[in-house]
Amino acid sequence: MIQATDIPPTTDGAAVPVPAAVPRGHGRQREQILQRVLRLLHREEGGVLWIEGPAGAGKSRLLAFAAEEAAPAGALVLTGGGVAGHGMPPLAPLLDALGPLPALRSREPGSAHREPGTYPEAGSPYQLMRQVEDHLRDLAHDRPLVVVLDDVQHCDEPTLLAVRGLTARLAGLPLLWVLAARSHHDVPAVESLRRDLLTERAVPLDVPALDPEAVRLLVRDLLGPRAAQADPYLPLCGGLPGAVRQLCALLASRTGTPGAVRTGGDPVAGAVAARRLDQLTQHAKELVLIASALGDSLTVRHLSRVLGCGESALLRPLGEVLAAGLMRAGQQHLAFAHPSVRDAVVATLPPPVRLSVRRRSVDLRLADGTPPAVLAAEIAELAEPGDEHAIRVLATAARELAPHSPATAAAHLRRAMELSRDAAPRRMRLAARLIPLLWETGEAVEARALAREVVQVPPDAATHARVCLELTRMGGRFPVAEAEAHLRRALGHRGVPQPVKDQLLSTTLLNRLLAGEAEEAGGALAGSLARARGTHPLNDLTQRTLRSMSACHRQRWTEALGHSESVPAKVAELDPAYGAALPEVVVSTVWRAALLGLAGDGTAAAELVEGGLADAEQRGRRAYLPLWRTARARLLLDGGRLPEAARELAAAQEPAAAGAGPRASGTSAASEAAMVCARARIAFHTGDDAELEACSALAEACLEGEDRQSRRAGAWIAVLTALYRDEALTRHQLGVAAAHLRRGFLHATCLDAGDVVLLVAAALASGQRDMAAAAVEFAEERARLNPGLPLFAGAAAHARGLFARDADLLAEAAELHGAARPLLRARALEDAGECAAATDAGTARSRFEEALRLYTGCGAQRDARRVHGRLRKLGIRPLGTACAAAPAVPEPEWRGLTRSELGVVRLIAHGATNREAAERLFLSPHTVNTHLRHAFEKLGVRSRVQLARLYAREVDSAAVSA
C-alpha cells in the first residue's frame, strides 16, 4: 500500500499535514498534473492520468503533488495502491481508497461503518465493483473527486478490470483518475489496461530520471554541508530520486567521511545496489546479475546464450533494465551505465556463481571462434589445477602472442605450468618454450635456472636439444656441469630434428666466436661449418655471419661485407612474426650494420639499427636493448656526435640497473666489454675524468676475467687511459692491445679503423718504436687487402705519417677520412699541424683551426682544449672559447620531442637541408622528413623559419645565458 508520507490519506477533502518534500526536477510533469487538477476543479472535467516510470523515479512524489493541489481546493482525494505479493482480497486497492466511509451499500439494511483495513465479506467481485461504482457516483455528485492509485502493477486482476470499467462508465463525472505504474512491468493485465486507457482518453505522463543538476540540488537539500560525501555514489543512483534519497539517508546515518566506493566492501554502495535490484522484476534482476559477471560490454546474443534463452525472451526484462538506467544500449553492445554500477551489482553475486557464469561465457566465446589470445588472461584467472582445456588454450595463446608481446606470452606459459604441476613431462615442455621468452624480456636469471632444471631432467631428446640451443643463444657458459657432454648428446641423438642440430652447431660456433673462444687455428671453423648439412634459412644466415666474422679476423673486410650482404634477404625468408625475436637474427643484423658503418654507408647502417631498436622497444625485448643501443652509440660516435652517443650508452646501461646479476640482462661479457670500450672512447675525447676512471676500473676487471675478448678489450682501454694520462705502456700491454686490433671486432661491433693510429701514438709515447712500426705495417697491409674501403687507406696514411712525422701524408689522411669521420679528420689535421708548426706557422695555424672547429662541433672538449693550447703556442688566440661545448642540443624533454626528432630539429634549425641532415644523422631523407613533420606538429610551427626562431629563442639563447 501507499505510505502516508507519500500521499496524504484523506477521503473527505480536509487538509492534512504533508511532510515537506522539496520538488526537484520533473517540472513539466508537475505542470501537466496541475493543469488536469485545475480543469477538474473549475470545469468539473475528469479524465485519466497514466504516470509511468522506473522504480524510484519519483512517481509517488507526483501522486502526492496531485493530492496536495486537489485537496485544499475542495476536491475529495481517495488514495490507494497495489501491494507486492498475494493474499489481498479482490478490489482491495479500491476499497482502501474508499477508506472509513459509510459502509458500502448493501442489500441488507443497517450496514455499519467499515474500519480501515477491513473488507466486506467475500462476495462476487462484480457485486463489489458495482457497489464501488455507486459510491464513486455519489461522491462525485457532491464535489470533484480525485482517485489516486499507486503501484498499479501490483494490483490484483479484479481491480485492474474494475478500473478499466469504472473509467469508462464514470467518464462524464468530475472524476480524475491518477494512476501510477512502473515501466516495462511484466504483468499482461496491466499492459492490457495501459493499452486500453491510452487508446481512449488517458493522458500518458512519463517520469524520466533527474538531470545531474537536479540531483545535485536534491542531495544538497538532504545532506546540507555533507553533500560532497554523496559524489562517489551518485553514478549508482542513475538519477532516480528514490535511490538518491536512500543514499542520503544512509550517508546521514554514518559517521566519518567516506572515501571512494569500495567494490564489494562498501555497505552504502551495496545497500543502494541491492535496493535497485529489488525494485526490478525477477527476470530483469537475473539479467543484470548475469550481465555484471560478463564484463563492462557485451552483446545481446552472448547474453542470451549465457542465460539459455532466445533474444526475444530478453526484450521485456532488458527494456526494464534500460528504463531503470542500470544499463545502456549502444549500436552493437550493452554496457553498464557506470563502472561503479557494475562493480556494486557484481559484488552481490556469490563468488561460485560469478566464476560459473564467467566460465560458461569463456566456453561459448571459444566455441564461436574467438582467438585464444583474446581470452587467455580470463582463462588463466578462472582455471583450476589440472584443467586440461585451460592449459591447451594458454599454450596456444602464448604461441600466438610470443612474436608481438613476449612478456604476456611468458605470463600465460607460467600459468599453464602452474596448472600442470602434477604432469612433469608436459611441464618441462612448457618450460622449454618459456625459457627464450624469459631471456628475451630480460629475466635472464630465471631463464637460466629453468633451463638448468629442464636440461638435467628432460622429457625427451628433442626438448633437451632445444633447451641446449636456447642456452647457447643466451651466451656465456652453460649453467650445468659437463656442458660439452650435453652438447654432444644433443648433436648425436637420433630423435633430434636435423635443423635443430644444425642450428645448435652454428649457434655454438657463433657464440664462441663472439666470446673470443673459437680462434681459427688449423681451419677449425671451416671444418665445423662443413658439418652443418641443413639448408634452413636461419642456419644459412648464421653461417654467413660466421664466415663474415672469420673474414674480418683475417682482415678481409671486403669479403666480410660480401658475406653479410644477403643478411636482410635471409631475414625476410624467416617467419616475419618470429624472425626478429631470434638472437642469431639480431646479432647478424647488428653485425651487418657495423660493417656498413665501417664502409662509410652510415645511412643504411642507421636504418637497420633504428628498425631493430624500435622493434625491441615496442615488443618489450629488453635483452636486445643493450646490443641495439650500443650499436647506435657507435654510429653516433663515429659520426662525431659525442653527447648523443653518451646518452645512448647511458640508456643501454639502464637494463643492467633493473636486472639481476653483474651485467645487463641478455648481455655477455664480450658485449659488455664493447659497451665499455665505447664509453671510454667518448670520455677520452670529452675529457670526462670520472667516466674514464670508471671505465679503467672495469678494464682491470676485464683483464682478470676468463673471457679472451674482454681481456683484449681491457688492454685497449688501458691504452686509452695511458694516452689520456700521458703515461707509458709496457711491451706486454701494447702487445695485447695490438692483438685486440688485429682481431678486428669485439662481440658484434667492428673496431674503428682509426684505432690503429692511437696504438702507434701510444707506442711512440712509450718509446716502443718497433711496436709502432709493426702497427703501421699492419695498417698498410689491411689497406692493401681492402682497396675499396677508404677508411683503411686513411688510417694507414695517418699511421705512417705519424710514425714518419710527414705533414703531407697526414694532410692526405685527413682528406681520406672525409666528412663521415670528423674526429679522425680532426686528429689527422691536428697531427699535420703539429708536424708543420716548426717550419710553416701559417699552415699549422690553418690546420689547427680546422681541427678545433671539428672538435668543437663534435663536443670533444678535451681535444678542443689541447688544440687551443697548440694555437696559443703559436701566439694565436682563437675566437670564442676553445673548450666550448658542442652546439646547443635541447634536453630530451624539450616540448615533448623524441631523441630522434630532437637531432633532426637541431640541424634543420641551424640551416641544414633534409639531405644534409640525413647524411649527418645516418638516416634516410624519408626518415628525416617524417621526424620533421612530427616535430612541426608538436611544436605548432608551419615553416623552417618559425622552427629556427623557436629553437633560437628557447634553446640557443638558453645555452648562451648558461
Side-chain angles (χ1 to χ4, degrees):
M1 294 177 60
I2 299 175
Q3 298 297 320
T5 55
D6 291 331
I7 298 178
T10 177
T11 58
D12 57 2
V16 296
V18 179
V22 178
R24 294 296 181 191
H26 301 154
R28 184 180 63 84
Q29 288 80 0
R30 288 198 302 273
E31 179 64 26
Q32 286 184 267
I33 291 174
L34 181 59
Q35 290 179 3
R36 298 297 301 186
V37 171
L38 292 176
R39 289 166 64 178
L40 171 68
L41 295 173
H42 299 295
R43 302 181 186 177
E44 295 189 348
E45 180 179 332
V48 180
L49 272 179
W50 181 272
I51 301 176
E52 186 174 291
K59 301 183 297 298
S60 296
R61 293 278 166 178
L62 290 176
L63 295 181
F65 173 77
E68 292 168 358
E69 293 296 328
L76 177 63
V77 179
L78 306 179
T79 63
V83 178
H86 303 282
M88 298 296 290
L91 301 180
L94 288 175
L95 296 175
D96 283 337
L98 292 173
L101 292 172
L104 293 174
R105 291 179 181 176
S106 175
R107 297 184 180 183
E108 299 179 3
S111 301
H113 290 293
R114 185 175 61 86
E115 295 297 327
T118 63
Y119 304 97
E121 294 182 2
S124 160
Y126 176 76
Q127 293 177 343
L128 288 175
M129 184 183 71
R130 293 304 301 267
Q131 294 176 30
V132 169
E133 178 182 349
D134 292 342
H135 276 278
L136 290 177
R137 285 183 184 276
D138 292 343
L139 294 173
H141 281 300
D142 297 335
R143 51 178 160 166
L145 182 62
V146 178
V147 179
V148 176
L149 289 182
D150 200 0
D151 289 327
V152 173
Q153 74 278 358
H154 293 320
C155 290
D156 58 286
E157 190 166 344
T159 299
L160 298 176
L161 293 173
V163 170
R164 175 68 188 90
L166 292 173
T167 54
R169 288 195 293 272
L170 303 177
L173 299 177
L175 171 58
L176 177 63
W177 295 83
V178 185
L179 312 175
R182 290 183 187 174
S183 305
H184 300 277
H185 35 73
D186 194 14
V187 181
V190 177
E191 184 63 29
S192 176
L193 173 63
R194 175 183 179 275
R195 183 176 58 253
D196 293 342
L197 292 178
L198 295 181
T199 302
E200 298 179 359
R201 310 193 308 151
V203 176
L205 206 61
D206 291 327
V207 185
L210 298 181
D211 60 75
E213 178 62 18
V215 171
R216 186 185 67 81
L217 294 174
L218 178 59
V219 172
R220 189 187 65 182
D221 294 337
L222 296 173
L223 289 180
R226 297 179 59 184
Q229 296 180 8
D231 290 344
Y233 300 96
L234 290 180
L236 297 173
C237 299
L240 300 178
V244 174
R245 291 178 183 278
Q246 181 211 13
L247 167 64
C248 293
L250 291 169
L251 293 176
S253 65
R254 297 183 65 187
T255 59
T257 303
V261 178
R262 301 187 304 275
T263 302
D266 193 321
V268 173
V272 175
R275 182 177 187 272
R276 295 196 65 187
L277 289 175
D278 289 342
Q279 292 172 334
L280 299 176
T281 62
Q282 186 61 31
H283 291 306
K285 181 177 180 179
E286 292 174 358
L287 184 148
V288 174
L289 288 171
I290 298 301
S292 69
L294 298 178
D296 293 320
S297 178
L298 67 158
T299 64
V300 173
R301 178 176 181 272
H302 185 65
L303 180 60
S304 69
R305 295 182 67 194
V306 173
L307 289 169
C309 61
E311 287 89 339
S312 60
L314 296 183
L315 293 179
R316 187 177 296 277
L318 182 57
E320 182 181 353
V321 171
L322 296 176
L326 290 168
M327 300 184 73
R328 60 176 180 270
Q331 291 292 330
Q332 297 180 345
H333 293 81
L334 299 172
F336 278 83
H338 191 273
S340 63
V341 175
R342 174 184 174 267
D343 293 341
V345 171
V346 77
T348 64
L349 272 178
V353 177
R354 194 183 317 162
L355 288 175
S356 177
V357 171
R358 293 181 61 190
R359 286 174 184 153
R360 175 166 172 75
S361 172
V362 168
D363 292 340
L364 289 172
R365 282 179 283 170
L366 282 173
D368 287 342
T370 303
V374 176
L375 301 173
E378 192 171 357
I379 291 173
E381 180 185 354
L382 299 173
E384 297 177 351
D387 190 333
E388 297 289 339
H389 180 62
I391 294 171
R392 289 195 300 271
V393 171
L394 289 172
T396 303
R399 185 180 298 107
E400 295 175 359
L401 290 169
H404 314 291
S405 180
T408 305
H412 292 334
L413 284 177
R414 276 196 183 102
R415 180 59 175 153
M417 289 176 61
E418 292 175 1
L419 297 175
S420 60
R421 60 174 179 265
D422 295 332
R426 180 173 54 192
R427 184 178 181 278
M428 291 294 101
R429 293 187 183 95
L430 291 171
R433 292 177 51 191
L434 176 59
I435 290 167
L437 296 175
L438 292 175
W439 180 82
E440 189 180 332
T441 54
E443 303 294 338
V445 175
E446 184 179 352
R448 288 181 176 276
L450 193 58
R452 180 171 58 250
E453 179 183 353
V454 177
V455 167
Q456 289 175 342
V457 191
D460 52 68
T463 301
H464 174 263
R466 288 189 172 91
V467 174
C468 287
L469 174 59
E470 297 302 338
L471 281 171
T472 305
R473 285 169 167 167
M474 294 181 201
R477 300 186 179 277
F478 272 29
V480 292
E482 301 180 355
E484 292 297 330
H486 280 284
L487 286 175
R488 288 194 298 271
R489 174 185 169 188
L491 292 172
H493 201 288
R494 293 183 179 180
V496 178
Q498 188 62 41
V500 176
K501 291 182 179 181
D502 293 336
Q503 193 58 34
L504 177 58
L505 175 61
S506 299
T507 305
T508 300
L509 293 173
L510 178 61
N511 181 43
R512 292 179 177 176
L513 191 61
L514 292 174
E517 299 175 0
E519 303 300 344
E520 293 182 275
L525 178 61
S528 298
L529 290 176
R531 292 169 50 198
R533 295 168 293 171
T535 59
H536 191 277
L538 180 60
N539 188 46
D540 191 7
L541 172 69
T542 308
Q543 292 188 37
R544 288 176 184 272
T545 301
L546 281 166
R547 291 189 173 93
S548 178
M549 289 182 169
S550 173
C552 289
H553 183 65
R554 295 180 282 108
Q555 302 306 315
R556 301 308 197 264
W557 293 87
T558 304
E559 180 183 340
L561 275 166
H563 283 305
S564 71
E565 187 174 355
S566 62
V567 164
K570 291 297 178 183
V571 171
E573 293 180 23
L574 300 173
D575 185 338
Y578 290 87
L582 297 173
E584 299 93 318
V585 172
V586 175
V587 169
S588 298
T589 306
V590 170
W591 175 250
R592 171 65 179 170
L595 289 175
L596 289 172
L598 189 72
D601 193 352
T603 299
E607 287 182 349
L608 288 177
V609 172
E610 293 292 342
L613 180 58
D615 178 82
E617 289 178 331
Q618 293 170 3
R619 309 298 187 193
R621 294 173 176 143
R622 295 179 61 246
Y624 302 138
L625 289 178
L627 187 59
W628 286 118
R629 291 195 180 281
T630 301
R632 191 173 192 273
R634 271 300 309 271
L635 293 176
L636 294 169
L637 172 59
D638 294 342
R641 299 162 62 186
L642 296 177
E644 295 174 66
R647 286 197 294 269
E648 199 67 35
L649 286 175
Q653 292 177 284
E654 290 177 0
R663 59 177 59 93
S665 58
T667 60
S668 65
S671 64
E672 185 178 339
M675 186 187 302
V676 176
C677 281
R679 289 172 53 194
R681 278 188 58 193
I682 294 172
F684 178 81
H685 289 295
T686 60
D688 189 337
D689 295 338
E691 176 70 356
L692 195 63
E693 287 297 330
C695 292
S696 179
L698 291 172
E700 293 178 4
C702 290
L703 288 169
E704 296 174 359
E706 299 179 357
D707 187 89
R708 294 184 183 181
Q709 284 273 55
S710 297
R711 290 202 298 271
R712 297 188 186 106
W716 178 247
I717 295 174
V719 170
L720 294 178
T721 305
L723 286 172
Y724 190 87
R725 300 170 178 169
D726 293 327
E727 297 175 350
L729 291 164
T730 65
R731 292 184 66 85
H732 174 71
Q733 289 174 314
L734 290 170
V736 178
H740 171 71
L741 294 185
R742 292 191 193 97
R743 181 168 179 79
F745 61 92
L746 178 56
H747 196 249
T749 304
C750 298
L751 300 186
D752 190 81
D755 283 349
V756 68
V757 177
L758 296 178
L759 180 62
V760 172
L764 291 174
S766 302
Q768 305 291 336
R769 193 168 179 80
D770 58 334
M771 300 198 75
V776 172
E777 292 177 1
F778 164 76
E780 291 176 338
E781 176 65 12
R782 185 178 62 177
R784 185 186 66 79
L785 293 173
N786 302 280
L789 300 177
L791 281 179
F792 288 142
H798 194 165
R800 175 61 68 181
L802 186 62
F803 184 80
R805 296 192 62 79
D806 187 331
D808 292 336
L809 197 55
L810 290 168
E812 179 185 347
E815 293 301 318
L816 288 171
H817 288 316
R821 287 290 192 275
L823 287 172
L824 295 180
R825 178 179 175 83
R827 182 60 187 254
L829 288 169
E830 180 187 354
D831 291 339
E834 184 182 6
C835 290
T839 58
D840 189 347
T843 301
R845 172 181 178 176
S846 64
R847 288 171 178 169
F848 283 149
E849 288 179 343
E850 177 63 12
L852 178 60
R853 184 188 67 81
L854 291 171
Y855 281 141
T856 303
C858 292
Q861 300 176 31
R862 175 177 176 272
D863 297 328
R865 288 194 297 269
R866 185 178 62 248
V867 176
H868 183 268
R870 297 186 189 280
L871 284 168
R872 288 181 66 86
K873 289 181 180 180
L874 295 177
I876 301 168
R877 181 180 296 276
L879 295 176
T881 304
C883 58
V889 178
E891 291 299 322
E893 65 270 15
W894 185 64
R895 287 185 170 257
L897 299 185
T898 65
R899 185 181 288 108
S900 300
E901 292 165 355
L902 284 169
V904 172
V905 165
R906 176 174 67 88
L907 295 177
I908 298 299
H910 287 104
T913 64
N914 281 19
R915 184 169 296 279
E916 291 170 344
E919 294 175 355
R920 176 71 169 157
L921 299 174
F922 304 107
L923 299 173
S924 68
H926 173 73
T927 302
V928 169
N929 184 60
T930 300
H931 288 330
L932 192 59
R933 185 174 67 255
H934 292 165
F936 272 30
E937 294 174 355
K938 293 180 180 180
L939 298 176
V941 298
R942 298 184 178 180
S943 68
R944 292 169 178 261
V945 174
Q946 291 178 337
L947 174 66
R949 289 174 179 170
L950 180 64
Y951 191 94
R953 182 172 66 251
E954 296 191 4
V955 180
D956 290 340
S957 61
V960 172
S961 300

